[in-house]
Amino acid sequence: MNTADWKHRPEGGSRAGIRLIGAIARHGGRRVARACLYPITAYFYCVRGSERRASRDYLRRVLARPVRCGDVARHIHTFACTILDRVFMLAGRLNLFDIHTEGTEHLLATLDEGQGVLVFGSHLGSFDALRALSRLRPDLKLRVLMDRSHNAAITELLAELDPALAAGIIDAGQDGPTVALAIQQALQEGAMVSLLVDRIRPGEMAVHAPLLGETAAFPATPWLLAGVLKAPVMLAFGLYRGGNRYDLLFEPFQSLVEIPRATRAATLSALVHRYVGRLEHHLRAAPYNWFNFYDFWHQQASSLSAFRHVAAPAVRHGDPGAGPGN
């Protein structure tokens, strides 16, 4: 198996194991469940060699020093903590967490104008911390783009905890036009549409940009989609700070993404380079929050030069249309 292909990595645990930790969390409480994370961390450290090596490679880059076994264990444990906290966040137990928010003013002002917003995140920290916005504005609409087929056991458990959110998921596993239409409709309803934009899917067109000293591939699709839908883009980072503390940070990125056909490759490159610069900034601020446990710098992707052969997807604003999916 190609270790750089995250899409075909096996799930981190069986359905029974994931349901067990979910049951412990719901019935035993967060303190009891967190105690279970230490043997889980030890198991993954000892058994999942590919993920362990990927963690060590990433930490070597971001810490800029020799990586110790304790660093890798801390990285795995941080990931386990955020997965556990998803259970409580999706069950509406936000009172258990101290979530500090920054940058919401611009986001809320845009939504108050009735305009939907594309919220671009990454596998850095917990994107579920977005739910903290419900404390400020219970009326906000949140739609999440995700592939239901990947990590199906976790998806099933979370769907049980929050049926409303599950019903509003836009399944990224559908064909591109269907996905684009669903996103367009959500934006027209004034919703936040959140998606993670740091992983390429197998065979997806990619834009290359330097991250932590080496070039990596990032998906072009989200940016093409933003250009077609003419929606504002904001970045979001839900950084885990230990214990029950999270920082939820929003950054205005682009009020209107325009990608002219004549300069498509150069425009996409500029957008992705800007995004990766902000991603690297937050990686260095919270290095153990990076949860791409595969060979991120050697993913398989189609060449950016192929964009000259790809016609711009068509979506008519206000009408059903087609566009790229993620």
Side-chain angles (χ1 to χ4, degrees):
M1 178 187 299
N2 178 9
T3 58
D5 186 352
W6 64 267
K7 192 75 168 66
H8 295 102
R9 293 293 301 155
E11 287 189 68
S14 65
R15 275 181 165 77
I18 291 172
R19 288 188 173 277
L20 175 61
I21 194 64
I24 293 172
R26 285 179 287 179
H27 302 296
R30 187 169 180 266
R31 180 175 298 181
V32 172
R34 280 179 65 87
C36 296
L37 298 184
Y38 292 102
I40 290 173
T41 297
Y43 168 82
F44 275 88
Y45 181 90
C46 295
V47 173
R48 299 294 284 266
S50 179
E51 285 85 348
R52 184 177 65 247
R53 289 187 293 273
S55 171
R56 183 175 294 274
D57 177 60
Y58 156 71
L59 291 173
R60 174 183 58 81
R61 299 170 188 271
V62 73
L63 298 177
R65 62 166 173 78
V67 177
R68 300 181 291 267
C69 294
D71 294 318
V72 176
R74 179 180 175 182
H75 190 197
I76 297 171
H77 185 262
T78 301
F79 175 57
C81 289
T82 62
I83 291 295
L84 173 64
D85 287 346
R86 291 183 74 182
V87 176
F88 294 99
M89 289 181 183
L90 289 166
R93 300 291 304 278
L94 291 172
N95 60 299
L96 297 175
F97 302 98
D98 177 12
I99 302 178
H100 172 69
T101 60
E102 291 184 14
T104 58
E105 299 84 1
H106 184 83
L107 171 66
L108 296 177
T110 302
L111 293 170
D112 284 341
E113 295 173 355
Q115 185 173 12
V117 177
L118 288 171
V119 180
F120 285 0
S122 60
H123 293 82
L124 175 67
S126 174
F127 212 43
D128 293 289
L130 276 172
R131 292 177 59 80
L133 289 178
S134 64
R135 293 176 174 176
L136 300 175
R137 292 282 300 274
D139 60 313
L140 292 182
K141 300 175 183 177
L142 174 62
R143 301 290 302 278
V144 179
L145 180 69
M146 63 181 293
D147 190 338
R148 293 178 182 270
S149 65
H150 189 67
N151 288 328
I154 295 177
T155 302
E156 290 172 7
L157 174 62
L158 298 181
E160 291 178 9
L161 295 172
D162 193 334
L165 181 64
I169 287 174
I170 300 172
D171 187 0
Q174 302 174 97
D175 63 273
T178 300
V179 172
L181 178 59
I183 293 175
Q184 182 185 38
Q185 290 175 336
L187 292 172
Q188 290 172 346
E189 294 169 0
M192 294 183 296
V193 180
S194 66
L195 56 157
L196 306 182
V197 301
D198 59 331
R199 286 183 183 178
I200 59 169
R201 298 163 66 91
E204 183 178 8
M205 293 298 178
V207 180
H208 293 82
L211 178 68
L212 299 177
E214 186 175 346
T215 299
F218 294 86
T221 302
W223 307 99
L224 289 169
L225 185 64
V228 169
L229 297 179
K230 307 300 182 187
V233 173
M234 292 200 69
L235 306 185
F237 301 93
L239 304 178
Y240 178 61
R241 299 300 193 183
N244 69 338
R245 294 174 290 112
Y246 286 84
D247 286 339
L248 179 57
L249 311 176
F250 291 95
E251 300 180 2
F253 186 83
Q254 191 99 347
S255 59
L256 177 64
V257 174
E258 293 186 294
I259 305 177
R261 183 186 298 270
T263 61
R264 183 178 299 178
T267 302
L268 283 167
S269 180
L271 289 167
V272 172
H273 274 70
R274 280 180 54 208
Y275 163 71
V276 174
R278 298 309 303 156
L279 176 62
E280 180 165 325
H281 168 82
H282 292 292
L283 281 175
R284 295 191 183 280
Y288 295 97
N289 274 236
W290 178 246
F291 302 142
N292 281 313
F293 289 95
Y294 63 97
D295 188 356
F296 187 84
W297 282 265
H298 298 94
Q299 304 173 77
Q300 299 300 313
S302 299
S303 171
L304 177 60
S305 62
F307 277 122
R308 67 176 182 269
H309 303 301
V310 181
V315 174
R316 291 179 297 163
H317 301 286
D319 297 311
N326 189 17

